[in-house]
PDB file of all heavy atoms in Angstrom:
ATOM      1  N   ILE A  14     -40.022   6.413  77.931  1.00  0.00           N
ATOM      2  CA  ILE A  14     -40.477   5.211  77.229  1.00  0.00           C
ATOM      3  C   ILE A  14     -41.850   5.440  76.592  1.00  0.00           C
ATOM      4  O   ILE A  14     -42.193   4.829  75.582  1.00  0.00           O
ATOM      5  CB  ILE A  14     -40.465   4.001  78.183  1.00  0.00           C
ATOM      6  CG1 ILE A  14     -39.023   3.724  78.609  1.00  0.00           C
ATOM      7  CG2 ILE A  14     -41.095   2.778  77.542  1.00  0.00           C
ATOM      8  CD1 ILE A  14     -38.859   2.680  79.673  1.00  0.00           C
ATOM      9  N   LYS A  15     -42.632   6.370  77.155  1.00  0.00           N
ATOM     10  CA  LYS A  15     -43.946   6.699  76.582  1.00  0.00           C
ATOM     11  C   LYS A  15     -43.821   7.139  75.126  1.00  0.00           C
ATOM     12  O   LYS A  15     -44.647   6.786  74.291  1.00  0.00           O
ATOM     13  CB  LYS A  15     -44.604   7.813  77.380  1.00  0.00           C
ATOM     14  CG  LYS A  15     -45.596   7.382  78.384  1.00  0.00           C
ATOM     15  CD  LYS A  15     -46.272   8.601  78.974  1.00  0.00           C
ATOM     16  CE  LYS A  15     -47.414   8.174  79.846  1.00  0.00           C
ATOM     17  NZ  LYS A  15     -48.082   9.307  80.467  1.00  0.00           N
ATOM     18  N   SER A  16     -42.788   7.906  74.846  1.00  0.00           N
ATOM     19  CA  SER A  16     -42.574   8.379  73.472  1.00  0.00           C
ATOM     20  C   SER A  16     -42.329   7.208  72.524  1.00  0.00           C
ATOM     21  O   SER A  16     -42.816   7.200  71.403  1.00  0.00           O
ATOM     22  CB  SER A  16     -41.384   9.334  73.406  1.00  0.00           C
ATOM     23  OG  SER A  16     -41.687  10.543  74.023  1.00  0.00           O
ATOM     24  N   VAL A  17     -41.581   6.227  72.990  1.00  0.00           N
ATOM     25  CA  VAL A  17     -41.282   5.063  72.151  1.00  0.00           C
ATOM     26  C   VAL A  17     -42.572   4.291  71.865  1.00  0.00           C
ATOM     27  O   VAL A  17     -42.775   3.818  70.746  1.00  0.00           O
ATOM     28  CB  VAL A  17     -40.221   4.163  72.810  1.00  0.00           C
ATOM     29  CG1 VAL A  17     -39.914   2.965  71.936  1.00  0.00           C
ATOM     30  CG2 VAL A  17     -38.950   4.954  73.098  1.00  0.00           C
ATOM     31  N   LYS A  18     -43.428   4.196  72.851  1.00  0.00           N
ATOM     32  CA  LYS A  18     -44.702   3.501  72.650  1.00  0.00           C
ATOM     33  C   LYS A  18     -45.558   4.227  71.606  1.00  0.00           C
ATOM     34  O   LYS A  18     -46.230   3.591  70.805  1.00  0.00           O
ATOM     35  CB  LYS A  18     -45.450   3.368  73.972  1.00  0.00           C
ATOM     36  CG  LYS A  18     -44.800   2.387  74.924  1.00  0.00           C
ATOM     37  CD  LYS A  18     -45.549   2.281  76.223  1.00  0.00           C
ATOM     38  CE  LYS A  18     -44.855   1.302  77.158  1.00  0.00           C
ATOM     39  NZ  LYS A  18     -45.545   1.173  78.439  1.00  0.00           N
ATOM     40  N   LYS A  19     -45.534   5.551  71.629  1.00  0.00           N
ATOM     41  CA  LYS A  19     -46.270   6.326  70.630  1.00  0.00           C
ATOM     42  C   LYS A  19     -45.659   6.122  69.247  1.00  0.00           C
ATOM     43  O   LYS A  19     -46.373   5.992  68.251  1.00  0.00           O
ATOM     44  CB  LYS A  19     -46.255   7.805  70.982  1.00  0.00           C
ATOM     45  CG  LYS A  19     -47.107   8.161  72.160  1.00  0.00           C
ATOM     46  CD  LYS A  19     -47.031   9.648  72.447  1.00  0.00           C
ATOM     47  CE  LYS A  19     -47.803  10.009  73.694  1.00  0.00           C
ATOM     48  NZ  LYS A  19     -47.659  11.444  74.012  1.00  0.00           N
ATOM     49  N   LEU A  20     -44.337   6.102  69.189  1.00  0.00           N
ATOM     50  CA  LEU A  20     -43.660   5.917  67.903  1.00  0.00           C
ATOM     51  C   LEU A  20     -43.927   4.533  67.323  1.00  0.00           C
ATOM     52  O   LEU A  20     -43.938   4.359  66.105  1.00  0.00           O
ATOM     53  CB  LEU A  20     -42.154   6.142  68.062  1.00  0.00           C
ATOM     54  CG  LEU A  20     -41.718   7.582  68.279  1.00  0.00           C
ATOM     55  CD1 LEU A  20     -40.247   7.638  68.658  1.00  0.00           C
ATOM     56  CD2 LEU A  20     -41.983   8.426  67.039  1.00  0.00           C
ATOM     57  N   ALA A  21     -44.144   3.556  68.178  1.00  0.00           N
ATOM     58  CA  ALA A  21     -44.403   2.188  67.717  1.00  0.00           C
ATOM     59  C   ALA A  21     -45.693   2.103  66.891  1.00  0.00           C
ATOM     60  O   ALA A  21     -45.862   1.172  66.102  1.00  0.00           O
ATOM     61  CB  ALA A  21     -44.473   1.243  68.908  1.00  0.00           C
ATOM     62  N   LYS A  22     -46.567   3.080  67.041  1.00  0.00           N
ATOM     63  CA  LYS A  22     -47.825   3.094  66.296  1.00  0.00           C
ATOM     64  C   LYS A  22     -47.680   3.749  64.927  1.00  0.00           C
ATOM     65  O   LYS A  22     -48.622   3.756  64.147  1.00  0.00           O
ATOM     66  CB  LYS A  22     -48.891   3.831  67.109  1.00  0.00           C
ATOM     67  CG  LYS A  22     -49.205   3.153  68.421  1.00  0.00           C
ATOM     68  CD  LYS A  22     -50.175   3.955  69.235  1.00  0.00           C
ATOM     69  CE  LYS A  22     -50.397   3.282  70.589  1.00  0.00           C
ATOM     70  NZ  LYS A  22     -51.251   4.091  71.446  1.00  0.00           N
ATOM     71  N   ARG A  23     -46.515   4.295  64.643  1.00  0.00           N
ATOM     72  CA  ARG A  23     -46.272   4.984  63.374  1.00  0.00           C
ATOM     73  C   ARG A  23     -45.750   4.006  62.320  1.00  0.00           C
ATOM     74  O   ARG A  23     -45.241   2.933  62.635  1.00  0.00           O
ATOM     75  CB  ARG A  23     -45.268   6.110  63.560  1.00  0.00           C
ATOM     76  CG  ARG A  23     -45.627   7.078  64.669  1.00  0.00           C
ATOM     77  CD  ARG A  23     -47.018   7.595  64.521  1.00  0.00           C
ATOM     78  NE  ARG A  23     -46.990   8.833  63.779  1.00  0.00           N
ATOM     79  CZ  ARG A  23     -47.998   9.653  63.683  1.00  0.00           C
ATOM     80  NH1 ARG A  23     -49.125   9.392  64.274  1.00  0.00           N
ATOM     81  NH2 ARG A  23     -47.888  10.752  62.998  1.00  0.00           N
ATOM     82  N   SER A  24     -45.843   4.394  61.075  1.00  0.00           N
ATOM     83  CA  SER A  24     -45.404   3.529  59.972  1.00  0.00           C
ATOM     84  C   SER A  24     -43.879   3.527  59.858  1.00  0.00           C
ATOM     85  O   SER A  24     -43.199   4.445  60.345  1.00  0.00           O
ATOM     86  CB  SER A  24     -46.011   4.012  58.654  1.00  0.00           C
ATOM     87  OG  SER A  24     -45.403   5.214  58.244  1.00  0.00           O
ATOM     88  N   ASN A  25     -43.373   2.513  59.205  1.00  0.00           N
ATOM     89  CA  ASN A  25     -41.932   2.426  58.977  1.00  0.00           C
ATOM     90  C   ASN A  25     -41.424   3.598  58.145  1.00  0.00           C
ATOM     91  O   ASN A  25     -40.316   4.080  58.358  1.00  0.00           O
ATOM     92  CB  ASN A  25     -41.571   1.113  58.284  1.00  0.00           C
ATOM     93  CG  ASN A  25     -41.678  -0.069  59.212  1.00  0.00           C
ATOM     94  OD1 ASN A  25     -41.689   0.083  60.429  1.00  0.00           O
ATOM     95  ND2 ASN A  25     -41.771  -1.252  58.650  1.00  0.00           N
ATOM     96  N   ASP A  26     -42.219   4.061  57.204  1.00  0.00           N
ATOM     97  CA  ASP A  26     -41.826   5.208  56.388  1.00  0.00           C
ATOM     98  C   ASP A  26     -41.638   6.457  57.247  1.00  0.00           C
ATOM     99  O   ASP A  26     -40.707   7.225  57.034  1.00  0.00           O
ATOM    100  CB  ASP A  26     -42.855   5.481  55.293  1.00  0.00           C
ATOM    101  CG  ASP A  26     -42.831   4.428  54.203  1.00  0.00           C
ATOM    102  OD1 ASP A  26     -41.768   3.811  53.999  1.00  0.00           O
ATOM    103  OD2 ASP A  26     -43.877   4.226  53.561  1.00  0.00           O
ATOM    104  N   GLU A  27     -42.522   6.644  58.205  1.00  0.00           N
ATOM    105  CA  GLU A  27     -42.393   7.797  59.099  1.00  0.00           C
ATOM    106  C   GLU A  27     -41.164   7.655  59.992  1.00  0.00           C
ATOM    107  O   GLU A  27     -40.436   8.618  60.213  1.00  0.00           O
ATOM    108  CB  GLU A  27     -43.637   7.954  59.965  1.00  0.00           C
ATOM    109  CG  GLU A  27     -44.863   8.390  59.197  1.00  0.00           C
ATOM    110  CD  GLU A  27     -46.086   8.413  60.072  1.00  0.00           C
ATOM    111  OE1 GLU A  27     -46.516   7.338  60.543  1.00  0.00           O
ATOM    112  OE2 GLU A  27     -46.606   9.515  60.284  1.00  0.00           O
ATOM    113  N   LEU A  28     -40.939   6.455  60.504  1.00  0.00           N
ATOM    114  CA  LEU A  28     -39.793   6.217  61.385  1.00  0.00           C
ATOM    115  C   LEU A  28     -38.473   6.378  60.643  1.00  0.00           C
ATOM    116  O   LEU A  28     -37.469   6.785  61.239  1.00  0.00           O
ATOM    117  CB  LEU A  28     -39.876   4.826  62.013  1.00  0.00           C
ATOM    118  CG  LEU A  28     -41.028   4.609  62.983  1.00  0.00           C
ATOM    119  CD1 LEU A  28     -41.036   3.175  63.464  1.00  0.00           C
ATOM    120  CD2 LEU A  28     -40.959   5.579  64.150  1.00  0.00           C
ATOM    121  N   ARG A  29     -38.480   6.082  59.370  1.00  0.00           N
ATOM    122  CA  ARG A  29     -37.262   6.207  58.568  1.00  0.00           C
ATOM    123  C   ARG A  29     -36.726   7.645  58.617  1.00  0.00           C
ATOM    124  O   ARG A  29     -35.521   7.868  58.625  1.00  0.00           O
ATOM    125  CB  ARG A  29     -37.540   5.792  57.129  1.00  0.00           C
ATOM    126  CG  ARG A  29     -36.301   5.693  56.270  1.00  0.00           C
ATOM    127  CD  ARG A  29     -36.595   5.149  54.885  1.00  0.00           C
ATOM    128  NE  ARG A  29     -37.131   3.794  54.954  1.00  0.00           N
ATOM    129  CZ  ARG A  29     -38.305   3.419  54.415  1.00  0.00           C
ATOM    130  NH1 ARG A  29     -39.046   4.276  53.758  1.00  0.00           N
ATOM    131  NH2 ARG A  29     -38.712   2.180  54.525  1.00  0.00           N
ATOM    132  N   ASP A  30     -37.621   8.607  58.710  1.00  0.00           N
ATOM    133  CA  ASP A  30     -37.230  10.015  58.752  1.00  0.00           C
ATOM    134  C   ASP A  30     -36.462  10.383  60.022  1.00  0.00           C
ATOM    135  O   ASP A  30     -35.692  11.339  60.021  1.00  0.00           O
ATOM    136  CB  ASP A  30     -38.451  10.927  58.632  1.00  0.00           C
ATOM    137  CG  ASP A  30     -39.112  10.825  57.265  1.00  0.00           C
ATOM    138  OD1 ASP A  30     -38.434  10.411  56.298  1.00  0.00           O
ATOM    139  OD2 ASP A  30     -40.308  11.161  57.171  1.00  0.00           O
ATOM    140  N   ILE A  31     -36.688   9.646  61.103  1.00  0.00           N
ATOM    141  CA  ILE A  31     -36.031   9.972  62.372  1.00  0.00           C
ATOM    142  C   ILE A  31     -35.072   8.870  62.824  1.00  0.00           C
ATOM    143  O   ILE A  31     -34.661   8.839  63.985  1.00  0.00           O
ATOM    144  CB  ILE A  31     -37.081  10.255  63.473  1.00  0.00           C
ATOM    145  CG1 ILE A  31     -38.001   9.064  63.682  1.00  0.00           C
ATOM    146  CG2 ILE A  31     -37.848  11.528  63.166  1.00  0.00           C
ATOM    147  CD1 ILE A  31     -38.875   9.161  64.899  1.00  0.00           C
ATOM    148  N   LEU A  32     -34.704   8.006  61.930  1.00  0.00           N
ATOM    149  CA  LEU A  32     -33.826   6.894  62.261  1.00  0.00           C
ATOM    150  C   LEU A  32     -32.517   7.315  62.935  1.00  0.00           C
ATOM    151  O   LEU A  32     -32.148   6.739  63.968  1.00  0.00           O
ATOM    152  CB  LEU A  32     -33.548   6.059  61.004  1.00  0.00           C
ATOM    153  CG  LEU A  32     -32.867   4.724  61.195  1.00  0.00           C
ATOM    154  CD1 LEU A  32     -33.659   3.831  62.127  1.00  0.00           C
ATOM    155  CD2 LEU A  32     -32.679   4.047  59.863  1.00  0.00           C
ATOM    156  N   PRO A  33     -31.803   8.320  62.427  1.00  0.00           N
ATOM    157  CA  PRO A  33     -30.552   8.713  63.108  1.00  0.00           C
ATOM    158  C   PRO A  33     -30.775   9.149  64.564  1.00  0.00           C
ATOM    159  O   PRO A  33     -29.991   8.784  65.444  1.00  0.00           O
ATOM    160  CB  PRO A  33     -30.030   9.878  62.264  1.00  0.00           C
ATOM    161  CG  PRO A  33     -30.660   9.699  60.932  1.00  0.00           C
ATOM    162  CD  PRO A  33     -32.006   9.071  61.195  1.00  0.00           C
TER     163      PRO A  33
END
Side-chain angles (χ1 to χ4, degrees):
I14 296 173
K15 262 187 172 179
S16 290
V17 180
K18 290 180 181 180
K19 288 180 184 177
L20 288 170
K22 297 176 184 175
R23 307 308 267 193
S24 72
N25 287 342
D26 289 333
E27 290 175 295
L28 294 177
R29 189 174 298 124
D30 293 338
I31 58 169
L32 191 57

